[in-house]
Amino acid sequence: VQLQASGGGLVQAGGSLRLSCAASGRTFSSYAMGWFRQAPGKEREFVAAIRWSGGSTYYADSVKGRFTISRDNAKNTVYLQMNSLKPEDTAVYYCAADYGLIQSQIANHNEYDYWGQGTQVTVSS
């Protein structure tokens, strides 16, 4: 499984960015795809996840109502639309994937075996 994340950048507070994660290497129908982020000196934290089959979505409380995760089956790509960005959203964002995760595992970065390379998001105040 290969994951290629892109779309990060520098944006002012209140602005928007859309991250993309292009997946390849196998059929992802039974996979969950997640976005995590890690700020300097902090632990990696869950942002959002989506099940490839069925499209169920999950969000961290800190991003609910501002971020939207979606997928494009034809392009094998998962997106993270980030609106109303805040300086505290500044971090390196990683996409991740794994097979057969149950709901209690979705937000745990230790449960994911496959990771993209990370893309920097910087929100200025």
Side-chain angles (χ1 to χ4, degrees):
V1 174
Q2 291 82 43
L3 304 175
Q4 181 72 36
S6 61
L10 173 63
V11 64
Q12 288 189 332
S16 299
L17 283 174
R18 188 178 79 158
L19 306 184
S20 300
C21 178
S24 62
R26 63 183 59 194
T27 302
F28 291 94
S29 58
S30 297
Y31 276 69
M33 306 291 293
W35 284 99
F36 293 80
R37 65 188 182 186
Q38 189 165 17
K42 293 190 176 181
E43 295 287 321
R44 189 165 296 191
E45 65 172 359
F46 172 72
V47 177
I50 187 168
R51 293 194 184 278
W52 208 277
S53 177
S56 297
T57 57
Y58 309 85
Y59 295 95
D61 288 343
S62 59
V63 306
K64 278 181 184 175
R66 300 188 298 123
F67 291 10
T68 302
I69 190 169
S70 62
R71 74 202 191 291
D72 183 328
N73 290 347
K75 295 183 178 180
N76 261 11
T77 299
V78 173
Y79 302 100
L80 184 68
Q81 178 66 44
M82 305 186 295
N83 299 328
S84 302
L85 283 161
K86 304 175 181 180
E88 51 263 43
D89 295 318
T90 295
V92 177
Y93 283 69
Y94 298 90
C95 62
D98 213 322
Y99 170 87
L101 298 181
I102 62 176
Q103 186 164 343
S104 62
Q105 296 172 314
I106 283 282
N108 184 348
H109 64 88
N110 291 312
E111 299 290 348
Y112 289 77
D113 284 340
Y114 305 103
W115 291 85
Q117 82 284 9
T119 184
Q120 176 71 46
V121 172
T122 303
V123 184
S124 62
S125 57

